[in-house]
Amino acid sequence: MGPGWRAPSVALVGGSVALFGALRRAALALPRPAAVRSRPGRVWRWRNLLVSFAHSVLAGLWALFSLWHSPELLSDIQDGYSISGHLLVCFSSGYFIHDSLDIIFNHQSRSSWEYLVHHAMAISAFVSLIITGRFLVAAMLLLLVEVSNIFLTVRMLLKMSNVPSPALYEANKYVNLVMYFAFRLAPQAYLTWYFLRYVEVQGQGAFLTANLLLLDAMILMYFSRLLRSDFFPSLRKGSAGRDVDGEKFLID
């Protein structure tokens, strides 16, 4: 991918930021459950989750289809290229920028600092991919995590809305666990092994490897929280990292 792609890529990322801004405004018009309306601290969170859900559905299925349609990309993780993958990286970069701005402008930085760290890592990594045209396939593999995020976000929406349907929550709980393994832990483990074994630890390779290892730590921390909350509630502890309504922002 030559330098001629860079200006269009900036426009694509900007267009994605604008798209998610429009989705955020549209979410304001959607009806909210009584449990959300009655607690002001949940209103912003609910809207933010709806936009996150839209990104997860679009980006997750996009990554899955792109890799299924072009499986040969998996044989060249460092230099493989597809237009679909490039557009996907620009699309998700726009979402991460929009979500960061939404968190900051709505004064949620303190309760959502883990999201901001994650987004800063993702944005910086994706910008390096757009500039160099390398490791695009690695980004597509990482974005498979959005398939898992679909069910993780549904889980959080169900908890916030106090839906009187334990069966629905229970079913999603187990599907969420399977998807976490299949689309979050498995791709992450494979990429970590690949980078440590095959990628030269200098320049962009060193930067992306460091990002990946930090992301490994974050994913394992989230997985621990998820297991304690949904499968071993007796092990839950009171901790920091709660939103303005007193609930964990990432996983409660």
Side-chain angles (χ1 to χ4, degrees):
M1 182 180 64
W5 267 99
R6 293 175 189 171
S9 296
V10 172
L12 288 169
V13 173
S16 177
V17 174
L19 172 63
F20 284 106
L23 286 175
R24 178 179 57 81
R25 289 189 291 274
L28 291 172
L30 295 177
R32 295 185 290 270
V36 174
R37 295 195 306 270
S38 64
R39 299 176 69 175
R42 290 189 174 190
V43 174
W44 172 83
R45 180 68 178 126
W46 179 265
R47 184 197 65 203
N48 182 270
L49 280 173
L50 290 178
V51 177
S52 175
F53 179 75
H55 172 256
S56 294
V57 171
L58 294 171
L61 296 181
W62 190 343
L64 194 60
F65 175 78
S66 294
L67 291 170
W68 173 79
H69 186 261
S70 304
E72 68 278 2
L73 290 171
L74 296 173
S75 65
D76 192 1
I77 289 178
Q78 295 193 50
D79 297 306
Y81 178 79
S82 78
I83 293 176
S84 177
H86 182 89
L87 294 175
L88 172 60
V89 168
C90 292
F91 175 76
S92 288
S93 296
Y95 166 72
F96 293 131
I97 292 171
H98 166 270
D99 198 50
S100 298
L101 295 175
D102 190 33
I103 290 170
I104 293 168
F105 290 153
N106 283 281
H107 310 292
Q108 300 293 326
S109 299
R110 183 175 179 180
S111 60
S112 313
W113 66 269
E114 293 173 56
Y115 262 74
L116 291 177
V117 171
H118 170 272
H119 291 357
M121 292 164 55
I123 292 166
S124 60
F126 285 1
V127 167
S128 80
L129 306 184
I130 291 170
I131 291 173
T132 66
R134 302 187 69 228
F135 297 103
L136 185 71
V137 180
M140 295 168 70
L141 280 168
L142 283 176
L143 284 169
L144 288 175
V145 72
E146 296 300 337
V147 177
S148 168
N149 280 346
I150 294 171
F151 301 93
L152 184 61
T153 305
V154 167
R155 172 189 179 276
M156 291 189 283
L157 289 170
L158 289 173
K159 287 180 75 73
M160 285 186 66
S161 59
N162 294 334
V163 174
S165 178
L168 179 59
Y169 185 88
E170 285 293 307
N172 184 76
K173 178 174 77 173
Y174 289 103
V175 173
N176 182 37
L177 184 64
V178 172
M179 294 298 174
Y180 205 101
F181 272 102
F183 292 102
R184 190 182 296 261
L185 293 178
Q188 187 75 20
Y190 173 72
L191 278 175
T192 300
W193 169 81
Y194 180 89
F195 267 72
L196 291 177
R197 180 164 185 175
Y198 295 111
V199 175
E200 198 170 339
V201 187
Q202 64 178 17
Q204 185 186 22
F207 171 70
L208 293 178
T209 299
N211 258 11
L212 197 60
L213 293 174
L214 181 55
L215 190 58
D216 286 345
M218 295 177 74
I219 283 178
L220 291 175
M221 179 180 66
Y222 301 158
F223 186 52
S224 172
R225 290 181 187 175
L226 179 65
L227 290 178
R228 287 201 308 269
S229 179
D230 275 0
F231 298 95
F232 305 102
S234 62
L235 299 178
R236 290 180 62 183
K237 301 175 182 177
S239 62
R242 298 178 178 272
D243 68 13
V244 293
D245 230 2
E247 299 171 47
K248 283 181 190 277
F249 185 78
L250 284 175
I251 293 177
D252 181 31

